[in-house]
Amino acid sequence: MLIARACRFGGRVRSCVVKSLACFSTSSSMAKSKFEYVRSFETDDSCLRNCYIVVRLDGRNFHKFSEQHKFTKPNDSRALGLMSRSAHSVMAEMEDIIIAYGQSDEFSFVFKRTSNLFKRRASKLMTHVASQFSSSYVFHWKEFFREQPLLYPPSFDGRVVLYPSNRNLRDYLSWRQADCHINNLYNTVFWTLVQRGGLTTTQAEDRLKGTLAADKNEILFSEFDINYNNESAIHRKGTVLIWEKRDETVTKRVKLPNEEEKEVPVTRSRRRVQDHHCDIIGDQFWEEHPDILEDDNC
């Protein structure tokens, strides 16, 4: 709609035309374009409700990465520490993660059943976890590897899996911890045969073909006086990250009635991510932390 209005120019009054303010308002139709239809090609990847969402990351080509960055065999405490530090960063960003489990070059992050983060879109959850983890891995590299330069960026791939019950989720985490034990026992024996037994990698591989866990434990104990059960728990059990409330005491300056100031201790309860290196296959861990899992009947 056009409105006629008297306007003053250089002291003289002239008639001019001013557009209605309504013409300048932004409408939904103006915000769209003829190309908007391409959004219809996007697929709905929202995760089923009332299920735990697990995002698992795995290092891509980490065998090559570990060799080029001179990781200590069979376990590099620096690398495991960096993985844990990166996982801490992910949990700090997304508090809907109730528990995370990591071993070697992988980490699994479990989102609570009731989470509506990113509207439960699998692609959003996976890419956010992967990008946060990867960037943290690079950012904190020097804290753990000091003089060892990062030669090229690491890469992690991810997947999203849904688990509808507490038993399904516990079985998943048990599977990952059992995998940690199997792989670490093999690697411990393999590299002991190479580093202390003088075998080549090919000879060590041939020696271990067809052996069971008992056979590997016997090789370690009888030939190298190593009791596998005495190996570090972080290597045998992996790393479990959970939220825990811890009391922290800080000093605070307060003003007394006589207007004097005094420092007094103040105790506050804070929720922080804590590391555990323990068995999660049995019931004890879950009985000690009953708040992790949600009621199956909800």
Side-chain angles (χ1 to χ4, degrees):
M1 177 180 179
L2 301 181
I3 299 176
R5 180 176 297 177
C7 303
R8 184 178 296 275
F9 296 97
R12 299 175 62 185
V13 177
R14 295 181 180 179
S15 176
C16 63
V17 177
V18 181
K19 285 188 178 182
S20 170
L21 292 177
C23 296
F24 294 98
S25 64
T26 302
S27 66
S28 58
S29 60
M30 290 179 65
K32 293 179 181 291
S33 72
K34 67 178 182 179
F35 309 110
E36 193 83 6
Y37 79 94
V38 297
R39 295 187 62 182
S40 63
F41 286 80
E42 296 181 13
T43 57
D44 180 12
D45 62 345
S46 299
C47 295
L48 187 66
R49 292 190 175 278
N50 204 31
C51 292
Y52 293 106
I53 303 172
V54 175
V55 178
R56 185 168 87 241
L57 301 184
D58 292 280
R60 184 173 180 272
N61 292 331
F62 248 61
H63 178 73
K64 177 183 177 182
F65 183 87
S66 64
E67 286 186 346
Q68 295 190 338
H69 289 88
K70 302 176 183 178
F71 283 17
T72 303
K73 305 294 186 179
N75 293 292
D76 193 310
S77 297
R78 301 169 301 172
L80 294 175
L82 180 55
M83 290 286 292
S84 178
R85 180 65 186 84
S86 303
H88 271 258
S89 176
V90 173
M91 291 187 70
E93 281 290 315
M94 289 169 277
E95 295 189 5
D96 278 5
I97 297 173
I98 54 175
I99 185 173
Y101 176 77
Q103 52 114 348
S104 186
D105 64 340
E106 73 167 55
F107 240 102
S108 296
F109 299 91
V110 182
F111 289 82
K112 61 184 181 182
R113 276 175 167 168
T114 54
S115 175
N116 198 37
L117 190 62
F118 299 122
K119 297 182 179 179
R120 297 178 69 87
R121 290 187 60 184
S123 57
K124 287 279 191 178
L125 292 168
M126 182 179 66
T127 53
H128 195 87
V129 169
S131 61
Q132 182 68 35
F133 190 93
S134 301
S135 59
S136 297
Y137 194 96
V138 173
F139 184 81
H140 295 289
W141 174 269
K142 284 189 176 181
E143 294 178 25
F144 295 87
F145 282 87
R146 305 296 180 184
E147 302 303 320
Q148 169 63 50
L150 183 61
L151 303 178
Y152 57 90
S155 176
F156 295 89
D157 61 54
R159 71 202 69 188
V160 175
V161 186
L162 305 182
Y163 294 100
S165 71
N166 289 341
R167 172 48 57 189
N168 292 152
L169 179 63
R170 283 188 56 179
D171 285 348
Y172 168 78
L173 294 170
S174 297
W175 170 49
R176 300 322 304 144
Q177 188 166 69
D179 187 72
C180 173
H181 163 69
I182 293 169
N183 291 336
N184 188 67
L185 177 57
Y186 180 91
N187 289 332
T188 300
V189 182
F190 179 89
W191 287 106
T192 300
L193 288 171
V194 173
Q195 295 168 352
R196 294 178 55 180
L199 300 184
T200 65
T201 54
T202 301
Q203 291 171 333
E205 187 177 345
D206 290 338
R207 174 79 188 277
L208 294 177
K209 281 182 180 177
T211 58
L212 303 177
D215 302 320
K216 296 180 179 69
N217 276 291
E218 181 60 26
I219 292 173
L220 288 174
F221 188 75
S222 61
E223 298 183 27
F224 302 99
D225 196 27
I226 296 175
N227 184 339
Y228 180 74
N229 291 326
N230 294 333
E231 294 295 297
S232 175
I234 189 175
H235 301 153
R236 293 182 294 109
K237 302 294 185 181
T239 299
V240 183
L241 303 181
I242 60 174
W243 291 98
E244 289 185 347
K245 286 185 177 180
R246 296 289 178 91
D247 290 337
E248 295 181 351
T249 302
V250 296
T251 57
K252 184 178 181 180
R253 295 186 68 86
V254 297
K255 185 172 289 188
L256 301 177
N258 60 2
E259 296 188 352
E260 292 183 5
E261 286 192 350
K262 181 181 179 181
E263 289 190 350
V264 297
V266 177
T267 300
R268 298 173 178 173
S269 181
R270 293 185 180 275
R271 190 167 173 260
R272 294 186 178 276
V273 178
Q274 300 295 330
D275 296 51
H276 293 268
H277 310 293
C278 59
D279 178 77
I280 56 174
I281 297 177
D283 294 328
Q284 182 177 347
F285 172 82
W286 302 101
E287 291 170 355
E288 292 175 352
H289 305 282
D291 56 323
I292 296 176
L293 301 178
E294 299 173 68
D295 189 353
D296 264 336
N297 296 321
C298 65

